[in-house]
Amino acid sequence: MELWIPITIFAAFCQNLRSALQKHLQGKLGTRAASFVRFGYGFPVAILYVMSLHFFVGYAFPALNVEFAVWSVIGGLAQIFATMLLVYLFSLRNFAVGTAYSKTEPVQAAIFGFILLGEKLTPGSIVAIIVGVFGVMLISMARMPVSWRNLVVALTGRTALIGIASGAVFGISAVAYRSAALALGGPGPVMQAAVTLACVTTFQTAFMLIWMLWKDKREIVQVIVTWRSSALVGLAGVLGSAGWFTAMTLQQVAYVRALGQIELVFTFMASYFLFHERVNRMEFAGCLLIVCGILGLLFS
């Protein structure tokens, strides 16, 4: 098994854990503050991770450059706004469906990867990704009678557009992060990914702190008061990001994000066991299609 596969599955699990914790915090903090904790409590861990790789493993620090900085800023800003869209989405639909809408990302990541990086996909991989996205569409229609009209509503309604927009911006951030890590040309994918993660999360923390100081200083107080729950979000977020960054340095973004749809399996488990949200047959069938898409991607 190639190394990027278990790393991606680990990242998907951590991302699901982070999203579940953010859904819990969203009612207490609001969308912006609940999004901030992912970065604000995560960047010290990211810096510690880089230092550990340098002093205990022996990896050299890669030389930073302008191309790296540009891609890091693009990816960092895209991830901030994608996270805010996703957290807001949780207030409109249940946890599983909210996450499912954003999982159109692999196709969008493939398109952005093709346009920005010239990355290509095999025909089998394209079919596998489409099967996974069809599963997402099935989940989005699960609470409606099956009809063409409801399909249009499911794909063009306000909730769907927010979810698809979240997936698109996450796709942009994923391609930007891969580009940033590859621009370093450093000692290896692990250190390149770690340095990218540390720089990006530090930038995101500074950007959001300035934003909250400008918009509403009380949000910063709320983030500090809820430090126990917020710190867990930050830890889960930075562990997941370390996994994503490393996997995307090893493999094309579209493949990593398509395998990352396994997060929906974890999502349904969290939705049922943690939030006590019921999952109907169509949602379950959609989840199975997504798993089939993942397996098809791996075998292709």
Side-chain angles (χ1 to χ4, degrees):
M1 180 184 292
E2 295 182 42
L3 183 60
W4 70 274
I5 295 174
I7 291 175
T8 299
I9 294 172
F10 169 77
F13 175 80
C14 290
Q15 180 165 298
N16 178 254
L17 177 60
R18 186 214 71 221
S19 295
L21 292 169
Q22 280 181 306
K23 175 179 170 65
H24 175 71
L25 279 176
Q26 200 262 348
K28 299 178 181 178
L29 299 181
T31 299
R32 184 167 43 234
S35 302
F36 167 77
V37 296
R38 169 183 183 174
F39 315 113
Y41 284 95
F43 88 93
V45 181
I47 293 174
L48 183 62
Y49 178 43
V50 171
M51 294 303 173
S52 299
L53 289 175
H54 177 67
F55 290 109
F56 297 109
V57 183
Y59 285 124
F61 291 118
L64 306 184
N65 54 67
V66 175
E67 183 183 357
F68 167 79
V70 170
W71 282 119
S72 294
V73 169
I74 292 173
L77 291 175
Q79 190 178 35
I80 286 172
F81 292 110
T83 300
M84 291 182 66
L85 286 170
L86 182 61
V87 172
Y88 177 64
L89 191 60
F90 291 150
S91 67
L92 302 178
R93 292 293 297 267
N94 67 38
F95 181 62
V97 175
T99 303
Y101 270 120
S102 69
K103 289 304 169 186
T104 54
E105 179 191 351
V107 170
Q108 300 183 73
I111 294 171
F112 293 130
F114 174 75
I115 294 172
L116 299 176
L117 303 179
E119 296 178 339
K120 297 182 180 179
L121 300 170
T122 65
S125 299
I126 293 173
V127 171
I129 291 173
I130 291 173
V131 168
V133 172
F134 185 75
V136 173
M137 292 168 56
L138 203 60
I139 291 171
S140 70
M141 288 186 61
R143 304 286 174 172
M144 309 176 182
V146 179
S147 68
W148 284 109
R149 180 179 179 278
N150 286 337
L151 175 60
V152 172
V153 170
L155 295 178
T156 61
R158 181 187 175 208
T159 304
L161 293 178
I162 292 173
I164 292 170
S166 174
V169 184
F170 271 128
I172 293 171
S173 72
V175 172
Y177 288 151
R178 174 170 166 80
S179 301
L182 293 177
L184 289 176
V190 173
M191 190 60 168
Q192 288 170 244
V195 170
T196 304
L197 173 63
C199 291
V200 166
T201 52
T202 301
F203 162 73
Q204 289 170 322
T205 300
F207 177 86
M208 292 208 71
L209 272 176
I210 294 171
W211 191 5
M212 289 192 295
L213 282 171
W214 175 46
K215 284 292 186 179
D216 191 349
K217 297 178 182 178
R218 291 174 298 179
E219 290 180 323
I220 298 176
V221 176
Q222 293 173 332
V223 167
I224 295 173
V225 170
T226 60
W227 69 270
R228 289 184 178 85
S229 300
S230 298
L232 290 175
V233 173
L235 179 60
V238 80
L239 288 175
S241 294
W244 289 125
F245 282 35
T246 304
M248 288 186 295
T249 306
L250 292 168
Q251 183 55 271
Q252 290 185 29
V253 173
Y255 291 134
V256 173
R257 286 310 202 185
L259 176 57
Q261 287 188 353
I262 197 172
E263 180 192 351
L264 274 179
V265 177
F266 304 133
T267 295
F268 273 96
M269 294 173 65
S271 180
Y272 183 81
F273 291 108
L274 295 180
F275 301 114
H276 307 292
E277 297 169 342
R278 297 198 173 192
V279 178
N280 64 28
R281 292 179 180 178
M282 192 175 291
E283 288 171 334
F284 184 72
C287 190
L288 285 180
L289 279 177
I290 290 169
V291 172
C292 289
I294 292 169
L295 293 175
L297 178 74
L298 296 178
F299 285 120
S300 69

